[in-house]
Amino acid sequence: MQRMFNLNQQELPTRWYNVQADLDRPLDPPLDPRTREPLSPEALTALFAKTCVEQEVSTDRFIDIPLAVQETYRLWRPTPLYRATHLERALDTPAHIYYKYEGASPTGSHKTNTAVPQAYYNKVEGTKRLTTETGAGQWGSALAFACQALGIDLTVFMVKISYQQKPYRKAMIELYGGKILASPSERTNTGREILKENPDSPGSLGMAISEAIEEAMTTGAKYSLGSVLNHVLLHQTVIGQESLSQMEIAGEYPDVVVGCVGGGSNFGGLMLPILYDAKNRGRKVKFVATEPTACPTITKGEVRYDFGDEAEMTPLLRMHTLGHKFVPPPIHAGGLRYHGMAPIITRLVEDGVIEPRAYDQVDVFSDAVIFARTEGIIPAPETAHAVHAAMELARECARKDEKQVILIGFSGHGHFDMSAYSAYLAGQLVRTS
Amino acid sequence: MQRMFNLNQQELPTRWYNVQADLDRPLDPPLDPRTREPLSPEALTALFAKTCVEQEVSTDRFIDIPLAVQETYRLWRPTPLYRATHLERALDTPAHIYYKYEGASPTGSHKTNTAVPQAYYNKVEGTKRLTTETGAGQWGSALAFACQALGIDLTVFMVKISYQQKPYRKAMIELYGGKILASPSERTNTGREILKENPDSPGSLGMAISEAIEEAMTTGAKYSLGSVLNHVLLHQTVIGQESLSQMEIAGEYPDVVVGCVGGGSNFGGLMLPILYDAKNRGRKVKFVATEPTACPTITKGEVRYDFGDEAEMTPLLRMHTLGHKFVPPPIHAGGLRYHGMAPIITRLVEDGVIEPRAYDQVDVFSDAVIFARTEGIIPAPETAHAVHAAMELARECARKDEKQVILIGFSGHGHFDMSAYSAYLAGQLVRTS
């Protein structure tokens, strides 16, 4: 049976889909962190590439992908769509399970889809250097790859505990030519102040964001963010567009689309073009966003204006949030640690378009092991949340003897997360819920 | 420009190509380790699956791939063929460089191509459990994946120093359900004797092979080997067959085919079908086998009968060998550590069909970094030898202003070898030549 659906490179999407053209009311604007007044797009260009800021507020339905970005996408895109025939057999389910495999990218996740255009727009606007933060390293390595491909320098502030515990992601960032600093660092005022108070601070994503922003503001560099923002979700829509073409080759249409959400960009990139397409066809599709019970941003958070970082340097966004001081329990191994959510995802949850579900890491890893043992590919812990949700839906189909077509957003592979699997297999992962 | 050439799954090869049908004289037979007399195929079935032994001596030109093996291959095959457009540009060369990407397999290398049929034949012949050895873990993880897919148990003896230094490969083997022991172990006589003499022994591939064979012989299990033997090269010929179809889509034919050789199976799998095809078309193709100067089996070894393992338990094969007690210098980071060579590769070197070249690890890693920074994909250190050779050929094309079509056997990715890249980037790798 055919289980791999490839597009050829002539079928690579040439434009991104912008959901802001199809929202029934505009998104609430970001607010200035000091005045709490709506922030003008111009103010954002101090931090971000001008074109990215334009895309942040654009209501054009389609935005052309620059040729140079398409050419870099062609290093790995279109990514494969697989039908999980071996998993279906193991679950003895009438459901048809498909997964769109973003692990095929050079750095192993969907993050490169936005890293490349962000590096490109900065390059053509004359930026010589970007700064960013990274936690586990997926975003840092993607942006390092993109900056190398487009010819621009990069400084990454990597959360110190990850810097020490994830030497392979650090090596990957350096292999792609990125400069990397353990955060908190001696490089910034923020870092020095934290270190003065606590020389052994393990760091946090909030601290690293603050350092990356300070570094950009004080050195004439620009800053780059790997999720949450509208233009990031826009860039990710190549995933959903390709998936639609591939599902058509497979001769099916998804009844359910499942993805994991940290900041919301991989799920947004998959589901937004399908939402648009389904509306045009008059089809009903269920969209399921999955998150850890250890960081239940949508299922337990509230919707309000909040900061993107712990140090209150970013603009305020109206979004689901657990509060910008939130840190998941240390035992949590499954990624998706961000306290906030993409405003686009928040809106679609409020509108009842997206259904959120939270899962405990023990259940998530348990199903990830079944997935790896049947399909071969090892899911990243983040991705495993979507895999688990899809498997639960497929089991329900088996109980009801109902065929459903389930499409998983498979955001990345777990080659750099094997220590989490080791911990699970050794029985060291406990329930957090 | 198109740079990814995919086949759809209907185009997966349905038979393997057996070069033994086309050798002008038969290969020399394996010898009994005690009597030094030619070993009957029957004697080999004590260790290996009967069908594998039949394939080992078969002179049928094509051997059907069982449907269950094809179905498991479809978890990841056909693998992509890429044209290295970004690398070509960086080298400013008129050469066209293609690479056949076996890193797309679940465990990240070509090893799964033979792991699956070996597990399958054992399964249908009633074997309940396989044993094997693994050094860095590439073969152990591939066989663990295959045994899981086909429903058979596996015990892996992993060289102790790798077991300690490569926890992620160990985790991968366990994730696929393989049982893993650090070798030397307390489990076998061989292991216990070594430990009695040297409780701190770091192990070696030779010791691990001896333990795996003893374990198979004493428990009614069968043993499985991941390279060197004729049937292993046979199973790998899906690589070369797919490459030919993909090169045809690209509208080109290789002038040079480059691969790395440890035991010789990935290079054999790529080049043997192309050798056959080129002969039929009356085309001249250059075949280049690359190895490390730190383990120069073909370029510095002699051709004679030798053991496959240090402990002299295996049959003797006529092959290039550095002596079965050979161990590469500890500083060598580039894999390809085996003292011997596939008898088929040895024969083709003797016949002048294959040209061997040895490279120093510093030059190899230097070009691997350029490859990763242009093409995105990170080569395994083994694969990097082939990449370096291809880049040298492409530079020669640039000097001569000559277009050549170069095809690289890209045996695997380097996600589990980042520590070698770290060492290189930190200037800790020294020349071994």
Side-chain angles (χ1 to χ4, degrees):
Chain A
M1 190 191 291
Q2 194 174 352
R3 39 167 284 127
M4 191 195 292
F5 301 91
N6 289 318
L7 300 177
N8 68 46
Q9 295 204 296
Q10 289 86 335
E11 296 165 288
L12 183 73
T14 57
R15 50 192 200 170
W16 293 299
Y17 165 67
N18 180 14
V19 73
Q20 292 188 83
D22 294 305
L23 296 175
D24 52 11
R25 58 195 194 286
L27 295 168
D28 302 283
L31 302 184
D32 187 297
R34 280 150 309 202
T35 65
R36 307 239 166 174
E37 291 298 314
L39 200 67
S40 69
E42 292 68 35
L44 281 170
T45 59
L47 266 187
F48 295 102
K50 194 166 148 284
T51 312
C52 291
V53 175
E54 284 165 12
Q55 293 174 350
E56 192 64 19
V57 295
S58 169
T59 52
D60 295 343
R61 181 168 291 122
F62 295 103
I63 294 178
D64 286 342
I65 305 175
L67 290 177
V69 172
Q70 290 184 41
E71 208 218 317
T72 309
Y73 276 170
R74 278 198 199 95
L75 283 170
W76 77 95
R77 301 208 75 87
T79 58
L81 176 81
Y82 293 103
R83 176 153 171 214
T85 48
H86 287 48
L87 178 65
E88 289 171 17
R89 199 171 48 199
L91 297 177
D92 194 15
T93 177
H96 291 193
I97 307 173
Y98 292 83
Y99 54 108
K100 175 65 169 166
Y101 185 52
E102 291 299 303
S105 92
T107 62
S109 83
H110 66 288
K111 293 283 187 188
T112 41
N113 296 331
T114 186
V116 170
Q118 290 197 48
Y120 169 77
Y121 290 126
N122 273 289
K123 172 79 177 177
V124 298
E125 290 173 21
T127 306
K128 298 277 180 269
R129 187 166 66 105
L130 282 174
T131 72
T132 199
E133 72 291 330
T134 199
Q138 221 170 49
W139 168 241
S141 52
L143 192 60
F145 156 76
C147 286
Q148 178 64 236
L150 276 307
I152 189 170
D153 289 338
L154 173 69
T155 301
V156 180
F157 291 87
M158 186 170 186
V159 176
K160 190 177 277 175
I161 185 79
S162 293
Y163 181 93
Q164 289 161 344
Q165 290 178 350
K166 295 222 166 190
Y168 284 12
R169 274 285 177 199
K170 172 176 171 285
M172 197 179 200
I173 292 170
E174 290 175 331
L175 174 52
Y176 289 126
K179 194 179 165 203
I180 187 161
L181 293 161
S183 170
S185 76
E186 292 287 349
R187 169 92 190 161
T188 65
N189 281 329
T190 312
R192 283 188 295 269
E193 274 173 35
I194 295 164
L195 288 172
K196 203 187 294 173
E197 218 165 281
N198 178 9
D200 299 324
S201 167
S204 74
L205 208 50
M207 294 176 192
I209 294 177
S210 304
E211 284 202 271
I213 291 178
E214 182 188 325
E215 173 77 10
M217 302 295 267
T218 56
T219 63
K222 296 272 180 179
Y223 169 73
S224 178
L225 191 68
S227 193
V228 179
L229 300 179
N230 304 337
H231 69 274
V232 178
L233 273 66
L234 173 79
H235 300 156
Q236 294 292 355
T237 59
V238 286
I239 304 174
Q241 293 180 72
E242 288 180 9
S243 298
L244 283 165
S245 304
Q246 289 165 310
M247 292 296 299
E248 198 175 330
I249 294 172
E252 304 218 70
Y253 203 87
D255 298 306
V256 193
V257 174
V258 188
C260 61
V261 288
S265 73
N266 102 77
F267 182 57
L270 174 67
M271 61 82 57
L272 294 171
I274 298 175
L275 174 64
Y276 176 69
D277 187 79
K279 263 187 201 158
N280 288 344
R281 293 173 189 253
R283 294 195 73 121
K284 179 106 187 100
V285 179
K286 180 151 105 173
F287 297 100
V288 178
T290 62
E291 60 184 14
T293 48
C295 185
T297 309
I298 306 181
T299 50
K300 295 278 178 70
E302 50 181 358
V303 177
R304 60 174 170 87
Y305 271 102
D306 196 8
F307 291 96
D309 68 328
E310 200 192 11
E312 309 188 351
M313 294 174 74
T314 69
L316 292 144
L317 298 175
R318 187 177 177 281
M319 58 184 177
H320 284 92
T321 178
L322 295 163
H324 60 280
K325 302 285 185 192
F326 177 85
V327 177
I331 187 61
H332 173 59
L336 309 170
R337 298 160 173 279
Y338 194 62
H339 68 275
M341 187 50 56
I344 288 172
I345 300 294
T346 288
R347 165 64 63 82
L348 295 175
V349 171
E350 291 184 299
D351 287 355
V353 174
I354 292 174
E355 176 188 322
R357 298 191 185 180
Y359 295 103
D360 188 275
Q361 63 178 359
V362 172
D363 302 319
V364 165
F365 275 93
S366 169
D367 270 353
V369 170
I370 295 172
F371 186 93
R373 289 184 177 176
T374 50
E375 290 293 305
I377 292 171
I378 301 170
E382 296 82 6
T383 312
H385 289 76
V387 165
H388 171 60
M391 287 170 68
E392 286 290 90
L393 289 164
R395 290 179 181 115
E396 202 181 309
C397 287
R399 281 191 297 271
K400 294 182 181 168
D401 195 23
E402 177 191 12
K403 183 198 154 185
Q404 284 210 330
V405 177
I406 302 168
L407 171 61
I408 304 172
F410 199 101
S411 56
H413 63 60
H415 298 171
F416 293 86
D417 306 285
M418 294 307 296
S419 55
Y421 279 98
S422 285
Y424 170 74
L425 292 170
Q428 289 159 2
L429 287 196
V430 297
R431 290 195 175 269
T432 64
S433 54
Chain B
M1 189 191 292
Q2 194 175 353
R3 40 167 283 128
M4 191 195 292
F5 302 92
N6 288 320
L7 299 177
N8 67 46
Q9 295 204 296
Q10 289 86 338
E11 296 165 288
L12 183 74
T14 56
R15 50 193 199 167
W16 293 300
Y17 166 66
N18 179 15
V19 73
Q20 292 189 83
D22 294 305
L23 295 175
D24 51 13
R25 56 194 197 287
L27 294 168
D28 301 284
L31 303 184
D32 187 295
R34 282 150 305 201
T35 65
R36 306 241 167 174
E37 290 298 313
L39 200 67
S40 68
E42 292 68 35
L44 282 170
T45 58
L47 266 186
F48 295 102
K50 194 166 148 281
T51 313
C52 291
V53 175
E54 284 164 11
Q55 293 174 350
E56 190 65 18
V57 295
S58 169
T59 53
D60 295 344
R61 181 168 290 123
F62 295 103
I63 294 176
D64 287 343
I65 304 175
L67 289 177
V69 172
Q70 290 183 41
E71 207 218 317
T72 310
Y73 276 170
R74 277 198 199 94
L75 283 169
W76 77 96
R77 301 206 75 85
T79 58
L81 177 80
Y82 292 103
R83 177 152 169 214
T85 48
H86 287 49
L87 178 65
E88 290 172 17
R89 199 170 52 199
L91 297 177
D92 195 14
T93 178
H96 291 193
I97 307 173
Y98 291 84
Y99 54 107
K100 175 64 170 168
Y101 185 52
E102 290 299 303
S105 91
T107 62
S109 84
H110 66 288
K111 294 284 188 190
T112 40
N113 297 329
T114 185
V116 170
Q118 288 196 50
Y120 169 76
Y121 290 127
N122 272 289
K123 172 79 177 177
V124 296
E125 292 174 21
T127 306
K128 298 274 180 272
R129 187 167 67 105
L130 281 175
T131 72
T132 199
E133 72 290 332
T134 199
Q138 221 171 45
W139 169 241
S141 52
L143 192 59
F145 156 74
C147 285
Q148 178 63 235
L150 276 306
I152 188 170
D153 288 338
L154 173 68
T155 301
V156 180
F157 291 86
M158 186 171 188
V159 175
K160 191 178 277 175
I161 184 80
S162 293
Y163 181 93
Q164 290 161 345
Q165 290 178 351
K166 295 223 165 190
Y168 284 12
R169 273 286 178 197
K170 173 178 170 284
M172 196 180 201
I173 293 169
E174 290 175 331
L175 174 51
Y176 289 125
K179 191 177 166 204
I180 188 161
L181 293 161
S183 168
S185 75
E186 292 286 351
R187 167 93 188 160
T188 65
N189 282 327
T190 312
R192 284 187 294 269
E193 273 172 35
I194 295 164
L195 288 171
K196 203 186 295 172
E197 217 165 282
N198 178 8
D200 298 324
S201 167
S204 75
L205 208 50
M207 293 174 194
I209 293 177
S210 305
E211 286 202 89
I213 291 179
E214 183 188 325
E215 173 76 10
M217 302 295 267
T218 56
T219 63
K222 296 273 180 180
Y223 170 74
S224 177
L225 191 68
S227 191
V228 178
L229 299 180
N230 303 337
H231 70 274
V232 179
L233 273 67
L234 174 79
H235 300 157
Q236 294 292 353
T237 59
V238 287
I239 303 174
Q241 293 181 71
E242 286 180 10
S243 298
L244 283 165
S245 304
Q246 289 165 310
M247 291 296 298
E248 197 175 331
I249 295 171
E252 305 220 69
Y253 202 86
D255 298 306
V256 194
V257 174
V258 189
C260 62
V261 288
S265 72
N266 102 77
F267 183 57
L270 174 67
M271 63 82 58
L272 294 171
I274 298 175
L275 175 63
Y276 175 69
D277 187 77
K279 263 188 198 157
N280 288 344
R281 292 173 190 255
R283 295 194 73 122
K284 179 105 188 101
V285 179
K286 182 151 102 174
F287 298 100
V288 179
T290 62
E291 59 185 15
T293 48
C295 186
T297 309
I298 307 182
T299 50
K300 294 279 177 67
E302 49 181 358
V303 178
R304 60 175 170 85
Y305 272 102
D306 197 6
F307 291 98
D309 68 327
E310 201 193 12
E312 308 188 350
M313 292 175 73
T314 69
L316 292 144
L317 298 175
R318 188 177 177 281
M319 60 182 177
H320 284 92
T321 178
L322 296 163
H324 60 280
K325 303 286 185 191
F326 177 85
V327 178
I331 187 62
H332 172 60
L336 309 171
R337 298 160 173 279
Y338 194 61
H339 69 276
M341 186 50 55
I344 288 172
I345 301 294
T346 289
R347 165 65 64 81
L348 295 175
V349 171
E350 292 185 299
D351 288 355
V353 174
I354 293 174
E355 178 187 321
R357 297 190 186 180
Y359 295 103
D360 188 275
Q361 64 178 358
V362 172
D363 302 319
V364 165
F365 275 94
S366 169
D367 270 354
V369 170
I370 295 172
F371 186 94
R373 288 183 178 177
T374 50
E375 291 292 307
I377 292 171
I378 300 171
E382 298 82 7
T383 311
H385 289 76
V387 166
H388 171 59
M391 288 170 69
E392 286 290 89
L393 288 163
R395 290 179 181 114
E396 202 180 309
C397 287
R399 282 192 298 273
K400 294 183 181 169
D401 196 22
E402 179 191 10
K403 182 199 154 183
Q404 285 210 328
V405 177
I406 301 168
L407 172 61
I408 302 172
F410 200 102
S411 55
H413 63 60
H415 299 171
F416 294 86
D417 306 284
M418 294 308 295
S419 55
Y421 279 97
S422 285
Y424 170 75
L425 292 169
Q428 290 160 0
L429 287 196
V430 297
R431 290 196 176 269
T432 65
S433 55

